[in-house]
């Protein structure tokens, strides 16, 4: 099923993002966790695509497992890193053979050995080029990434939105946001894009901080702000993984409740393969999925936007 149909027809769409483990044992372990995640009836699960090496094969294997064994729709990520256009022709067939119908089309980050993203000769420089190719093919639903706090390489927030709109014009059907820790960042960005004519689903990406050092490292990589209050609360428990996670979960729950009040109709949970995160937020998501009033109240006051 195309993911865009879910956003059009379901009251609330709950999606989970996982990354493919590097080892066979890691894969077995994650598959066990995914079976448990199924209890919360995620509408789809997305699987990230690594910067290179073995985990790329694992994206396909994991995507196949989620779709074929768990019967959950899957969104397979695909990046431009180290791929030529010819590679993508082959990769598309491989994804289709695993039953993958939806692709999150990304430029990708450079491998750690390289400072800057450089396209392959005969490859793609920007995600919009990959999106254009996938869209022409017509066999995939297409998602794209968006940045409420502006992508780190962008010339300006205005130009970043301009290029996001280009991805939409070229065929992206829905946008999943980078994580943010202050709702207002997402809401301002979403509303600005709405004013600029964007009418496709803009889905907030929600993360749960696990420690002060972890979240500050992630935030630095993506150019996101971490509220000082959150850092302070996490620092009280530095070195105590369990209590740090509780602080992170509490923050994520507050963010989720605030977003619901602002009329979101879906959440993408950056689960980082952590059962604790899915177990803590999953029940709220299940409740939201059955709340038909969410959609009708938004339709009534014209805020649905698509
Ligand atoms: P693009 O849309 O190509 O944008 C990259 C930069 O170029 C931006 O600064 C943009 O403003 C600028 N730009 C775009 N078009 C033009 C143009 N025509 N001219 C000049 N400048 C332009 N990374 C992975 O490696 N694997 C994953 O699985 C993965 N999953 C992700 C999932 C989500 C939901 C998100 C938000 C990010 C994910 N990433 C992943 C990270 C992502 O690959 C990086 O943020 C990457 O640096 C940018 O990817 P993009 O698709 O947004 O690139």
């Amino acid at each position: 099923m195309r993911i865009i149909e879910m956003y059009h027809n379901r009251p609330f769409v709950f999606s989970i993002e996982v990354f493919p483990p590097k080892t066979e044992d890691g894969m077995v372990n994650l598959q066990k966790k995914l079976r448990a995640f199924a209890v919360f009836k995620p509408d789809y699960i997305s699987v990230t695509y690594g910067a290179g090496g073995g985990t790329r094969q694992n994206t396909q294997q994991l995507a196949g497992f989620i779709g074929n064994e768990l019967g959950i729709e899957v969104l397979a990520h695909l990046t431009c890193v180290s791929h030529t256009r010819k590679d993508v022709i082959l990769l598309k067939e491989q994804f289709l053979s695993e039953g993958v119908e939806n692709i999150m089309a990304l430029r990708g980050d450079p491998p750690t050995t390289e400072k800057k993203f450089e396209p392959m000769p005969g490859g793609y420089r920007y995600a919009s080029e990959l999106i254009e190719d996938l869209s022409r093919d017509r066999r995939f639903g297409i998602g794209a990434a968006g940045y409420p706090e502006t992508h780190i390489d962008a010339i300006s927030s205005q130009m970043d939105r301009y290029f996001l709109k280009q991805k939409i014009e070229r065929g992206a059907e829905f946008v999943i946001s980078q994580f943010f820790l202050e709702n207002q960042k997402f809401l301002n960005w979403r509303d600005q894009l709405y004013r600029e004519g964007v009418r496709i689903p803009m889905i907030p990406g929600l993360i749960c901080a696990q420690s002060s050092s972890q979240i500050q490292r992630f935030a630095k990589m993506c150019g996101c702000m971490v509220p000082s209050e959150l850092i302070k609360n996490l620092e009280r428990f530095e070195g105590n993984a369990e209590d740090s996670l509780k602080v992170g979960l509490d923050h994520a729950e507050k963010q989720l409740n605030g977003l619901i009040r602002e009329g979101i109709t879906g959440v993408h949970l950056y689960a980082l393969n952590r059962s604790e995160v899915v177990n803590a937020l999953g029940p709220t998501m299940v409740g939201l999925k059955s709340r038909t009033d969410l959609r009708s109240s938004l339709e009534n006051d014209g805020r649905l936007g698509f």
Side-chain angles (χ1 to χ4, degrees):
M1 183 186 194
R2 294 288 169 96
I3 285 172
I4 188 62
E5 289 173 31
M6 300 179 185
Y7 288 118
H8 282 161
N9 300 320
R10 298 184 184 176
F12 189 87
V13 176
F14 166 41
S15 52
I16 301 175
E17 180 170 306
V18 296
F19 60 86
K22 291 194 176 112
T23 63
E24 198 53 43
D25 282 356
M27 189 64 102
V28 171
N29 192 14
L30 179 60
Q31 288 179 347
K32 233 185 260 167
K33 290 183 187 178
L34 286 165
R35 284 188 200 281
F37 294 175
V39 174
F40 300 111
K41 300 192 175 12
D43 294 273
Y44 67 92
I45 295 180
S46 90
V47 185
T48 65
Y49 199 70
T55 66
R56 288 186 155 185
Q57 287 293 331
N58 295 353
T59 297
Q60 286 180 355
Q61 190 194 332
L62 199 54
F65 170 80
I66 293 165
N68 303 324
E69 291 207 30
L70 300 182
I72 298 173
E73 201 55 64
V74 63
L75 174 65
H77 296 205
L78 177 62
T79 72
C80 308
V81 177
S82 314
H83 282 317
T84 63
R85 287 169 191 253
K86 274 196 182 152
D87 294 340
V88 169
I89 294 175
L90 187 71
L91 286 163
K92 284 191 300 191
E93 299 312 316
Q94 288 173 354
F95 276 125
L96 284 170
S97 71
E98 292 287 359
V100 172
E101 253 190 89
N102 295 282
I103 290 187
M104 180 75 183
L106 301 141
R107 187 197 71 180
D109 283 323
T112 42
T113 47
E114 289 161 39
K115 274 199 180 133
K116 212 169 136 248
F117 170 81
E118 284 300 338
M120 292 284 283
Y124 306 90
R125 180 170 286 278
Y126 297 111
S128 56
E129 297 168 358
L130 175 61
I131 289 171
E132 194 170 33
D133 256 12
L134 291 171
S135 166
R136 220 179 276 134
D137 187 295
R138 293 179 182 276
R139 290 178 294 172
F140 298 96
I142 306 169
Y147 302 86
E149 295 175 70
T150 307
H151 185 261
I152 36 168
D153 300 344
I155 312 157
S156 66
S157 54
Q158 193 184 358
M159 287 311 287
D160 204 33
R161 290 196 309 277
Y162 173 86
F163 292 124
L164 176 58
K165 285 179 276 183
Q166 189 172 62
K167 292 196 273 194
I168 297 169
E169 277 156 23
R170 292 186 178 183
E173 298 166 308
F174 57 95
V175 171
I176 301 179
S177 90
Q178 182 58 277
F179 75 81
F180 51 91
L181 296 153
E182 285 173 320
N183 285 355
Q184 210 51 48
K185 305 272 186 211
F186 172 81
L187 297 168
N188 292 346
W189 173 76
R190 176 197 68 170
D191 293 349
Q192 179 62 28
L193 284 160
Y194 187 84
R195 282 194 291 277
E196 293 172 7
V198 171
R199 294 293 182 273
I200 66 166
M202 307 295 291
I203 308 307
L206 191 67
I207 201 167
C208 173
Q210 289 169 24
S211 71
S212 164
S213 49
Q214 172 250 19
I215 200 66
Q216 290 193 79
R217 185 164 40 87
F218 281 13
K220 195 172 168 206
M221 285 192 298
C222 336
C224 299
M225 276 273 301
V226 187
S228 50
E229 187 71 14
L230 177 61
I231 299 181
K232 208 173 75 193
N233 289 340
L234 286 166
E235 276 174 351
R236 281 171 44 216
F237 299 107
E238 200 63 18
N240 175 344
E242 206 178 312
D243 286 345
S244 286
L245 186 66
K246 273 190 202 148
V247 172
L249 279 170
D250 183 52
H251 186 81
E253 269 169 32
K254 283 189 185 132
Q255 274 197 277
L256 178 60
N257 291 332
L259 289 167
I260 305 259
R261 283 195 297 274
E262 291 292 339
I264 53 139
T265 51
V267 163
H268 188 68
L269 183 61
Y270 292 108
L272 304 172
N273 296 4
R274 296 287 302 254
S275 300
E276 301 91 325
V277 172
V278 179
N279 291 343
L281 298 173
T284 309
M285 304 290 185
V286 173
L288 289 166
K289 277 159 59 65
S290 57
R291 272 189 55 184
T292 45
D293 61 309
L294 279 177
R295 191 171 188 92
S296 56
S297 71
L298 290 172
E299 269 158 353
N300 289 344
D301 66 11
R303 277 194 298 155
L304 199 55
F306 55 89

